Amino acid sequence: MMEKMLFWALFLSLGNFCVAELPKKPENISCIFYYKKNFTCTWSPEKEAYPTLYTVHRIFVRGTQRDSCTSEIRTSCSFFFPHLSYPDNYSIEVEAKNVFGEHKSNITYWCLEDIVKIEPPTILTVEPIPGVKHMLQVVWRKPEGVPYSASYTCYLRYRSVNSANWMPISQRMENERPYNLTGLRLLQRYAVSMQCHVVTSKLWSSWSEEKIGTTEGLAPNSSLDLWRVLGPAQPDGGRTVQLLWKEALAEPNVRKTHGYNIWYFPENETAVKVTNTTSDQQFKFHLGSGAYLVSVGYYTSDGMSPEATLRIPAVHEKPFQCIEAMQVHQSQDHLEMEWHTSTAEVDRWVIEWYLDLETENLERSWESVSQISNWTGRTDNFVPYQCYNISVYPVMGVDVGAPHSIQAYFKEGTRTVNSSILQCELESLESNTQYTVKVMASNLAGGKNGTSFNFKTLSTGIIEMVLLASVIGSGFFFLGILIVVCCLTKPKLKRLVCPEIPNPAKSNVVLWNGDNFKSKLYFGEVQFHGKMKAVDERIPKPYLSSSGDLIDKLVVDFETFLDKTEVHRVEMMKMQENILSGERKKYVNSSYNFYSPSGKVFQGLPPSALISLKGTQEPSSERSDEEAKDRPSQRPSGILEPEQQPWEEVGLNPYLKNSVTTREFLSSEKSDPIKKKTEMQP
């Protein structure tokens, strides 16, 4: 801190500041004592223009001992336990100092017994006493920080949860004794809070955390509205019973229902009683063929409701009847029913309805009315255009009488046509729905209904089926177009799907002039389909045998041939069979050799022999066919029989061996012998 003060002094002197500002005098000193924690003092002002160091000097009044604490930023300072004594008196002086000087406060005197402050108490529970109405009992725990041998007192306040106004309790609370809040309303929620202080101190603790409790309500005093649905009797006489019930209108002072108790027993054996508990508003169980009594009651935290009881008649017992007639009136938004009875002793009427298709299901919709003989069904109870089975049951005490049942529609469609029209189309029908149609003929004298018939609509309409088929067909059509376009526009895909495979069996073997051949051989060219192609890198170089003869070359455009596809060996064998099937051929013996691309030696043909592939537009040599006919038919000395043919493979390139079948060149017996005239080439 001294370094900061020196820095400010140097800064002000270099900045030519002439006005010095002393710290303000500390005022409004206040001190609080927390037993076995700390003794804290605060003062004002809270802010200074320049960095200020505060020092609090504490002097023990009972002796000469003194100490101090410092604070650089905050305008408060604390002395901590165990450097605290209770009870004791302190004198406090606060000193403020900055680079320009210091300023001291007035000396204040503090008695720790007057300024001791304790923690708020802890509220444990706020609950009603069972059986006691309009009251909540508050159980709490002693606050922390009360000095030894000191006495304390507490006060309580409470309010309704729905209100912001607190109501204080003037009675003091001591020694952790529970406190009873009385005069409260039934079934209301209240918030409770407390604060305490040492008797000798003028400082109160802060208010404790709120605790909420609910006063006790009244026990239910109304029974349930109970109904039962009986299943068909089994061969052994047993039946399935479905109990349904509804609670009465909610009572303002009755708590929420926690559950339901069900009891049932044979009518003549009250000792055999079965008890079940459920939280649902229905219960299914099995009974024998005799008569039974069933009871249902609900319970809350304040007690049990009265029981609602019904009698289940025996299987072969006939119930009483009292309904003579019943009428149903339909309108756009409700269904009205009215019945006539022969007795006025009926306690209540139960109206039960369900869809005609759910005869095997025990689930029912029902309502009960009393002291009237009519009932109005609401819109949310029915589905339009659906046939319902509606029954009215009389109930006298615990006995249920025979019902009066009808079939009715909550809403029907009305279509009127002329007498000349004998058919009608129904529109706006729901899918997968059962309908009933009746046709009425009317005139001025009145009308009469014809025979009714039922039908059920399809789950999917014709329009939906057509649209679905159209969408699927269009999808396949566009998919086919896309595939065709891709095949035509992508050469690689086209080559993969439809590769071009040449047929070697359709090629021709012709003779070519030696001179013309040698000229094209030396220039590294060959005639293929009327065009000249360079094959200098593919054709073996001339080779001079030991006798000095020029090597005859067999030039084949392997590049074009191999780029397309390999020639299958079977097809090449067919080509040889086609050639040998003609005139009697002779193998041509040649003493001339040539190298394969791999460097191996083959024995070849005379230089005038050359293959011309099928489809050549130009003649293979300048000789005409007529010149060939004029030659005398002679057997050259070099021609041998096939079994004497010295043609053999000295070496064969593996690549060519797999792709090209060895060709055998034949010479017709009618053709002139080939004269071997070669020239040595350098």
Side-chain angles (χ1 to χ4, degrees):
M1 188 63 191
M2 294 302 298
E3 291 80 358
K4 293 183 179 179
M5 297 177 64
L6 292 175
F7 170 78
W8 277 99
L10 180 62
F11 176 78
L12 294 176
S13 61
L14 293 177
N16 296 325
F17 287 96
C18 299
V19 179
E21 184 175 352
L22 295 175
K24 296 179 181 178
K25 179 181 178 180
E27 296 178 341
N28 300 325
I29 299 174
S30 176
C31 297
I32 298 177
F33 173 64
Y34 294 93
Y35 182 67
K36 289 187 177 181
K37 288 186 176 180
N38 60 72
F39 174 78
T40 302
C41 295
T42 59
W43 58 88
S44 62
E46 297 182 354
K47 295 182 180 180
E48 292 281 357
Y50 302 102
T52 304
L53 176 65
Y54 296 96
T55 303
V56 178
H57 300 282
R58 181 181 63 166
I59 302 175
F60 294 81
V61 176
R62 293 185 180 181
T64 59
Q65 182 182 359
R66 61 184 300 167
D67 58 3
S68 63
C69 65
T70 59
S71 175
E72 297 182 5
I73 302 176
R74 296 177 300 175
T75 56
S76 65
C77 193
S78 299
F79 299 89
F80 297 96
F81 183 83
H83 304 290
L84 299 173
S85 58
Y86 181 85
D88 206 341
N89 296 327
Y90 299 148
S91 62
I92 299 298
E93 182 184 39
V94 180
E95 178 184 0
K97 182 184 297 185
N98 61 13
V99 295
F100 302 108
E102 61 183 24
H103 212 153
K104 294 183 180 181
S105 69
N106 298 331
I107 298 177
T108 57
Y109 300 92
W110 302 94
C111 178
L112 299 186
E113 293 179 341
D114 297 338
I115 59 173
V116 61
K117 187 174 182 179
I118 59 178
E119 299 295 330
T122 302
I123 300 177
L124 301 178
T125 59
V126 179
E127 296 178 349
I129 298 177
V132 180
K133 311 298 181 184
H134 309 283
M135 188 185 74
L136 287 174
Q137 186 178 71
V138 181
V139 179
W140 55 285
R141 186 171 58 200
K142 176 183 177 180
E144 296 181 356
V146 178
Y148 179 73
S149 71
S151 59
Y152 66 93
T153 184
C154 301
Y155 285 95
L156 180 146
R157 63 177 182 177
Y158 70 96
R159 65 178 178 87
S160 175
V161 172
N162 299 325
S163 174
N165 299 324
W166 288 96
M167 301 180 64
I169 298 297
S170 59
Q171 182 179 354
R172 296 190 302 176
M173 302 167 57
E174 299 175 344
N175 302 326
E176 298 182 337
R177 287 181 299 186
Y179 185 82
N180 294 330
L181 281 174
T182 59
L184 306 178
R185 290 179 294 176
L186 291 174
L187 205 62
Q188 293 292 320
R189 302 175 69 226
Y190 291 90
V192 179
S193 181
M194 295 177 62
Q195 69 172 179
C196 301
H197 76 109
V198 176
V199 175
T200 59
S201 176
K202 58 184 178 181
L203 300 179
W204 284 82
S205 70
S206 58
W207 286 100
S208 67
E209 184 180 357
E210 296 181 8
K211 195 76 173 181
I212 297 177
T214 305
T215 57
E216 195 174 68
L218 297 176
N221 56 7
S222 60
S223 61
L224 296 170
D225 191 4
L226 182 63
W227 184 235
R228 89 287 182 275
V229 179
L230 303 180
Q234 303 298 324
D236 59 352
R239 296 161 293 174
T240 299
V241 179
Q242 177 88 2
L243 290 181
L244 307 171
W245 57 84
K246 299 177 181 179
E247 293 187 18
L249 296 177
E251 301 180 44
N253 297 327
V254 177
R255 290 179 185 267
K256 183 180 179 181
T257 301
H258 289 176
Y260 305 91
N261 290 336
I262 301 100
W263 303 275
Y264 58 92
F265 53 90
E267 186 177 23
N268 299 325
E269 300 179 12
T270 57
V272 184
K273 192 173 186 179
V274 181
T275 304
N276 290 277
T277 302
T278 181
S279 58
D280 300 328
Q281 290 187 320
Q282 60 182 2
F283 184 75
K284 184 183 293 186
F285 58 101
H286 298 275
L287 295 179
S289 59
Y292 285 80
L293 291 176
V294 295
S295 301
V296 180
Y298 68 98
Y299 57 91
T300 66
S301 58
D302 300 321
M304 189 74 189
S305 71
E307 299 177 6
T309 305
L310 283 178
R311 181 179 179 271
I312 307 299
V315 173
H316 302 292
E317 182 180 345
K318 292 184 179 180
F320 67 92
Q321 295 183 352
C322 64
I323 300 178
E324 298 178 348
M326 185 166 59
Q327 296 177 348
V328 178
H329 305 282
Q330 299 172 346
S331 64
Q332 293 295 329
D333 56 353
H334 63 273
L335 180 70
E336 295 182 358
M337 297 183 61
E338 185 177 358
W339 55 90
H340 302 280
T341 178
S342 59
T343 179
E345 298 178 357
V346 177
D347 297 324
R348 62 188 179 110
W349 305 90
V350 176
I351 298 92
E352 178 186 274
W353 68 91
Y354 58 94
L355 288 173
D356 187 37
L357 301 178
E358 299 179 356
T359 56
E360 298 181 359
N361 192 354
L362 296 181
E363 298 295 333
R364 298 289 188 268
S365 299
W366 63 283
E367 286 186 7
S368 63
V369 296
S370 59
Q371 299 178 356
I372 57 175
S373 58
N374 58 74
W375 175 78
T376 301
R378 299 182 299 273
T379 305
D380 54 353
N381 293 335
F382 299 93
V383 178
Y385 308 112
Q386 296 291 328
C387 180
Y388 285 89
N389 295 322
I390 306 177
S391 302
V392 178
Y393 292 82
V395 180
M396 298 176 60
V398 296
D399 294 323
V400 179
H404 190 92
S405 302
I406 61 170
Q407 285 190 335
Y409 291 84
F410 174 71
K411 184 178 181 181
E412 295 180 339
T414 302
R415 290 290 303 273
T416 303
V417 296
N418 296 329
S419 59
S420 60
I421 299 177
L422 301 180
Q423 64 180 8
C424 179
E425 294 184 1
L426 302 179
E427 299 177 352
S428 303
L429 301 180
E430 297 183 3
S431 61
N432 196 23
T433 304
Q434 186 81 20
Y435 287 92
T436 300
V437 176
K438 295 181 180 180
V439 179
M440 173 184 286
S442 302
N443 56 21
L444 296 177
K448 185 176 182 180
N449 284 325
T451 303
S452 63
F453 62 93
N454 301 326
F455 69 91
K456 186 176 182 180
T457 56
L458 299 175
S459 58
T460 304
I462 298 178
I463 298 178
E464 290 82 357
M465 296 176 63
V466 172
L467 291 177
L468 180 62
S470 301
V471 171
I472 295 176
S474 301
F476 281 110
F477 176 75
F478 287 111
L479 180 61
I481 293 178
L482 181 62
I483 294 176
V484 173
V485 172
C486 292
C487 293
L488 296 178
T489 57
K490 294 186 181 275
K492 293 184 179 180
L493 182 60
K494 180 180 178 182
R495 186 180 302 170
L496 178 62
V497 177
C498 302
E500 297 181 2
I501 303 177
N503 189 354
K506 298 181 180 180
S507 63
N508 295 329
V509 179
V510 298
L511 297 177
W512 207 355
N513 281 342
D515 296 339
N516 191 19
F517 166 75
K518 287 188 289 184
S519 62
K520 295 182 179 181
L521 176 65
Y522 298 148
F523 282 97
E525 296 179 347
V526 66
Q527 191 173 21
F528 179 70
H529 288 279
K531 298 181 181 180
M532 303 302 295
K533 292 191 178 182
V535 294
D536 54 340
E537 296 182 359
R538 305 283 183 172
I539 301 175
K541 300 301 181 180
Y543 173 74
L544 296 179
S545 65
S546 59
S547 60
D549 294 334
L550 179 63
I551 301 174
D552 292 334
K553 296 287 186 171
L554 176 61
V555 182
V556 180
D557 192 347
F558 289 107
E559 179 178 0
T560 306
F561 184 77
L562 296 177
D563 283 346
K564 293 185 177 181
T565 184
E566 289 187 354
V567 180
H568 199 277
R569 183 177 296 273
V570 176
E571 295 179 350
M572 297 304 300
M573 294 299 296
K574 291 181 179 180
M575 180 188 72
Q576 293 181 4
E577 292 176 2
N578 294 334
I579 296 174
L580 294 176
S581 63
E583 297 178 354
R584 183 180 178 181
K585 300 291 191 307
K586 297 294 184 179
Y587 284 86
V588 181
N589 183 22
S590 176
S591 60
Y592 301 102
N593 303 328
F594 65 94
Y595 280 124
S596 68
S598 62
K600 297 182 180 181
V601 180
F602 284 79
Q603 293 185 358
L605 294 175
S608 60
L610 185 67
I611 294 176
S612 176
L613 299 180
K614 184 178 180 180
T616 304
Q617 302 297 330
E618 298 179 3
S620 59
S621 68
E622 297 178 358
R623 300 178 185 178
S624 63
D625 295 338
E626 296 179 358
E627 294 178 355
K629 294 179 180 179
D630 295 336
R631 295 174 185 165
S633 176
Q634 299 178 0
R635 173 176 294 192
S637 59
I639 298 178
L640 301 176
E641 293 297 329
E643 61 273 7
Q644 300 175 346
Q645 179 58 252
W647 178 279
E648 62 180 6
E649 177 181 343
V650 180
L652 183 62
N653 189 307
Y655 174 77
L656 298 179
K657 182 177 181 180
N658 295 333
S659 59
V660 181
T661 305
T662 305
R663 291 170 172 79
E664 295 179 345
F665 299 90
L666 307 177
S667 175
S668 175
E669 291 181 354
K670 296 180 180 181
S671 62
D672 294 335
I674 301 175
K675 299 180 179 180
K676 301 179 182 178
K677 296 181 180 181
T678 60
E679 297 180 359
M680 298 296 295
Q681 296 296 335

